[in-house]
Amino acid sequence: MNYVDEIKRLKQEKNAVILAHYYQEKEIQDIADYLGDSLKLAQIATQTDADIIVFCGVHFMAETAKILNPSKKVLLPVMKAGCKMADMISPSALKRYKEEHPDTKIITYVNSTASVKALSDCICTSTNALKIIHHYLDQGDSILYCPDQNLGKYAMKQGGVSFDVWDGCCPIHHFLDPKKIITMKKKYPNACVIAHPECKLDILELADYVGSTKQMLDYTIQSECKEFIVCTEKGVLHAMEKACPDKKFYLASQTLSCSNMKYTTLKEVYEVLKNETNEIFVEEEIAKSAKKALDEMLKLS
Ligand code: 13P
Ligand code: SF4
């Protein structure tokens, strides 16, 4: 069966739209109606007039789309596609922190479950984290940034400020070894290093540019640089190579691969679209509170 043709046919027949994150496999990126980072995909989810959203990404992304646009049917091609970082904070642990710090504002990275979002004052993504953190600090609030310690520490360093951070991380970015970057820089002396802020500070200090996946992509398009050492999940290289066919992209390490992002295949996209299975549901009370925190992010973005 030609899955690409069948997916196109079903999309039209059912008024469905396919959203995909840059970390998805090439063939999934190529069939997507919208390709984006966490922020862009969340914004699209609020705007689409399709009846069905097939979310090619991980569970928290599909859940976010459902919370932002509850009247839509949101389908996740592979239900087990989770996020290791999102699993590093539980609602009960966050509740305990809140009881001990009743006046602290909770700023939560979008890589979190709906139940954790529901306990938060505001959500952020890697695109808008610094802006949102500073919005609260400028108001004189004390904040907790959770669950990504690396983005939190990067924001502290950038702003010369201090606040509480959770000790979660994305293992894919967190365990990138700075020695790899140093070796790569020797091999490609003219290459610019670009890094995602989920990497540790010792990596970010070696980078010429730090940003979300979309910001990194835009940087590669605008930069005079012709070669790039890329410190984020390998999927984004496909979008970079397509956007800049005359430039060269080197993945900083072969370990930069998120298995959860790679579960989605064309077969699964076809099957969920055909059978309308793997629908995402979020409990009403949780969805209401999580939406408040997400709306706050969209307002401040
Ligand atoms: P962005 O999409 O905000 O760049 O975040 C990367 C990520 O880890 C998604 O899981
Ligand atoms: Fe989660 Fe990291 Fe995979 Fe992104 S790359 S989905 S943060 S485990």
Side-chain angles (χ1 to χ4, degrees), residues 12-255:
Q12 249 195 333
E13 185 186 302
K14 300 191 176 207
N15 187 27
V17 73
I18 298 180
L19 271 55
H21 191 271
Y22 291 115
Y23 294 169
Q24 292 283 293
E25 295 281 15
K26 291 176 190 176
E27 58 275 21
I28 303 295
Q29 295 191 33
D30 291 343
I31 50 139
D33 297 291
Y34 299 97
L35 188 59
D37 64 2
S38 304
L39 179 63
K40 169 128 185 261
L41 296 175
Q43 286 166 331
I44 288 163
T46 63
Q47 294 154 6
T48 180
D49 51 18
D51 297 315
I52 297 177
I53 298 173
V54 179
F55 209 118
C56 299
V58 291
H59 193 275
F60 77 80
M61 295 180 172
E63 211 177 41
T64 301
K66 180 67 184 177
I67 294 164
L68 288 171
N69 210 339
S71 64
K72 307 291 170 189
K73 188 178 261 193
V74 178
L75 309 175
L76 179 66
V78 181
M79 273 305 196
K80 68 173 178 185
C83 167
K84 289 177 181 152
M85 184 198 291
D87 294 341
M88 290 184 192
I89 183 164
S90 66
S92 55
L94 184 54
K95 261 188 207 150
R96 259 196 317 278
Y97 176 92
K98 282 175 58 128
E99 276 158 21
E100 287 159 14
H101 305 81
D103 298 325
T104 299
K105 299 280 185 208
I106 311 297
I107 305 183
T108 300
Y109 198 34
V110 70
N111 299 35
S112 51
T113 60
S115 313
V116 166
K117 287 187 178 77
L119 295 166
S120 309
D121 293 284
C122 188
I123 308 304
C124 70
T125 73
S126 56
T127 302
N128 56 27
L130 299 191
K131 192 172 172 187
I132 287 174
I133 287 170
H134 285 286
H135 168 81
Y136 282 91
L137 292 176
D138 292 349
Q139 285 183 173
D141 290 319
S142 54
I143 64 165
L144 165 73
Y145 182 73
C146 65
D148 185 20
Q149 57 176 288
N150 292 319
L151 216 160
K153 288 174 188 169
Y154 173 64
M156 282 201 242
K157 181 147 190 272
Q158 287 296 100
V161 289
S162 175
F163 48 83
D164 284 359
V165 289
W166 207 261
D167 65 354
C169 67
C170 163
I172 319 302
H173 291 90
H174 187 78
F175 293 109
L176 177 59
D177 186 348
K179 283 198 231 82
K180 294 252 184 201
I181 317 300
I182 293 161
T183 311
M184 293 286 273
K185 275 180 91 156
K186 277 189 192 139
K187 194 167 169 195
Y188 305 108
N190 298 321
C192 288
V193 178
I194 54 175
H196 196 280
E198 288 173 18
C199 295
K200 286 204 286 198
L201 274 182
D202 53 8
I203 299 286
L204 302 181
E205 273 157 13
L206 294 170
D208 298 289
Y209 181 77
V210 176
S212 74
T213 41
K214 172 79 169 77
Q215 289 170 328
M216 276 193 267
L217 174 62
D218 292 344
Y219 179 80
T220 61
I221 296 167
Q222 289 148 17
S223 169
E224 308 246 296
C225 205
K226 296 282 180 218
E227 296 175 285
F228 299 87
I229 296 165
V230 183
C231 306
T232 192
E233 212 278 345
K234 68 179 189 185
V236 74
L237 265 73
H238 179 57
M240 288 174 177
E241 280 160 357
K242 264 177 104 170
C244 311
D246 56 329
K247 298 188 179 182
K248 291 218 164 1
F249 299 93
Y250 313 113
L251 188 66
S253 163
Q254 290 309 314
T255 58

